[in-house]
Amino acid sequence: MRRSLSLYEDLTAVEGLDFGFQRNGLVSMFRTEAFADSVVTTSRLLDEFGIRVEVLDRSGVARLAPSMSDEVLGGAYFPEDAHLDPAAFVEQLAARFSASGGSILTLTDVLKLRAGTRGRVLVETAAGERNAQLVVLAAGAWSAGIARDLKLRLPIEPGKGYSLTLPIDGGPAGVPIRMLEANTTYTPTAHSIRLTSKMDLVGFDLTIDRNRVSGMAPAARRYLKLDHDFGTATAWAGLRPLTPDGVPIVGRHPHLTGLILATGHGQLGVALAPVTGWLVAQLATNQPSELDLKPLELQRFEGVRSR
Ligand SMILES: Cc1cc2nc3c(=O)[nH]c(=O)nc-3n(C[C@H](O)[C@H](O)[C@H](O)COP(=O)(O)OP(=O)(O)OC[C@H]3O[C@@H](n4cnc5c(N)ncnc54)[C@H](O)[C@@H]3O)c2cc1C
């Protein structure tokens, strides 16, 4: 996570990409005593890993989040945390890649991957077949379906979540707020405020279920005095690629040497995107990895079948 943060800083400060990256920290808050204990336990655990957390009482939360409601009992502050605009990040990266001579085939489905000769993988797309020297499978929740013909069982399930984004007039970006019982995050930026929530296990259905979305703003108002009308907000649904142990799958396929897996990032794909790209670059160029990749290997799952 720390490596990702420093890579994000490089992408903005050194590469000059602008995707709303802000290192303002994050505040979590709770309304019920049951969560007071879990905040303390989590902060002790994170402390062991050198991650700074300050446990806050009511007045400490109010200092960082003045719009806090009367129901909030306490929380925690994660000063090292950051946030960004994910869509702008992808657009900026794609533009830089194209400007550097890379070519991106958009609106073209990969139908399946097939085993070729000498460890290579053939990519069957809606626009014909490609015989690539190296394929990186990074198709999020859809990765398992694409890999099926390789007799590769990727234990990834889609976890559907929603966001509600409301444009606002410019202002300084505040601190993102995690509302613990409601499992909802509030992210203010210079031009919008966004609520994200829900974890629905409903397969690949990306339709917006208005019943699910309509409860998000009322749930957030139990923590924050929000006077915005979320009825006019843009609703979006996305699929988190969930693995059974919540850890991504990153590494070379054990037999198909022309295939690198970079998927299953669950709830942390934005946070872990730069470090994943960095690891994939090391794998692709056959450099020794600077991190231990063993915990990320696909082989950690029992019963995984591979060729
Ligand atoms: C509501 C919500 C809130 C979230 N909040 C956070 C957060 O605060 N922090 C965080 O770190 N993460 C967050 N996440 C999780 C994060 O979005 C994911 O972990 C991340 O998007 C996974 O990245 P990915 O590139 O592996 O997959 P994706 O982002 O899903 O990208 C996969 C891409 O592959 C494409 N694709 C799929 N099938 C095919 C095919 N057959 N042919 C061609 N292309 C294909 C898709 O169109 C898509 O563009 C959130 C997710 C949701 C839904």
Side-chain angles (χ1 to χ4, degrees):
M1 199 71 95
R2 196 157 274 147
R3 178 58 65 119
S4 254
L5 276 169
S6 76
L7 288 166
Y8 267 130
E9 275 169 348
D10 287 352
L11 286 170
T12 53
V14 181
E15 298 294 332
L17 303 189
D18 178 8
F19 45 88
F21 181 73
Q22 302 268 340
R23 209 154 173 193
N24 296 352
L26 176 136
V27 172
S28 70
M29 46 173 77
F30 58 85
R31 297 184 294 103
T32 54
E33 284 297 344
F35 271 82
D37 289 344
S38 86
V39 163
V40 172
T41 313
T42 309
S43 72
R44 281 201 194 119
L45 193 62
L46 292 173
D47 192 57
E48 282 174 28
F49 288 94
I51 295 168
R52 284 173 56 206
V53 190
E54 293 165 29
V55 177
L56 304 170
D57 60 12
R58 236 187 94 70
S59 61
V61 177
R63 189 171 39 83
L64 290 163
S67 58
M68 177 190 92
S69 83
D70 295 340
E71 286 192 53
V72 173
L73 300 180
Y77 179 49
F78 303 81
E80 296 171 290
D81 221 276
H83 67 285
L84 56 91
D85 177 343
F89 174 55
V90 174
E91 280 161 19
Q92 291 262 308
L93 271 189
R96 178 60 60 89
F97 179 71
S98 301
S100 310
S103 120
I104 302 177
L105 207 57
T106 56
L107 300 175
T108 308
D109 282 347
V110 171
L111 304 176
K112 58 172 132 165
L113 301 181
R114 287 195 297 116
T117 53
R118 286 179 283 120
R120 282 203 182 182
V121 166
L122 304 170
V123 185
E124 222 173 272
T125 79
E129 190 168 83
R130 307 264 166 145
N131 184 353
Q133 197 178 336
L134 186 63
V135 173
V136 179
L137 179 57
W142 295 269
S143 301
I146 291 173
R148 195 160 292 136
D149 278 29
L150 293 176
K151 299 192 175 60
L152 184 64
R153 199 182 66 82
L154 292 175
I156 296 174
E157 286 293 323
K160 182 178 183 179
Y162 291 98
S163 71
L164 278 178
T165 304
L166 200 59
I168 53 161
D169 287 337
V175 184
I177 291 166
R178 182 123 188 87
M179 298 166 252
L180 292 174
E181 293 87 350
N183 209 0
T184 296
T185 303
Y186 165 84
T187 310
T189 73
H191 308 291
S192 71
I193 53 174
R194 176 173 289 171
L195 292 177
T196 49
S197 190
K198 309 295 177 208
M199 175 64 85
D200 296 348
L201 301 175
V202 290
F204 289 87
D205 173 16
L206 273 171
T207 52
I208 308 281
D209 179 342
R210 289 285 155 196
N211 288 329
R212 299 292 286 150
V213 170
S214 63
M216 285 168 59
R221 284 199 178 94
R222 299 197 66 179
Y223 299 80
L224 295 171
K225 291 171 192 148
L226 296 171
D227 35 6
H228 310 87
D229 175 11
F230 277 90
T232 60
T234 304
W236 172 85
L239 301 178
R240 306 175 184 92
L242 305 174
T243 59
D245 58 5
V247 176
I249 300 167
V250 180
R252 252 187 213 272
H253 184 276
H255 308 299
L256 297 166
T257 49
L259 178 65
I260 292 175
L261 304 169
T263 183
H265 289 72
Q267 313 212 55
L268 289 174
V270 178
L272 298 176
V275 71
T276 303
W278 178 72
L279 291 172
V280 166
Q282 287 175 349
L283 287 165
T285 52
N286 294 316
Q287 293 173 54
S289 180
E290 287 180 43
L291 294 183
D292 178 13
L293 292 183
K294 197 98 194 128
L296 307 180
E297 280 179 357
L298 173 64
Q299 296 91 305
R300 71 183 185 272
F301 297 108
E302 277 182 13
V304 170
R305 282 178 287 124
S306 57
R307 296 177 77 243

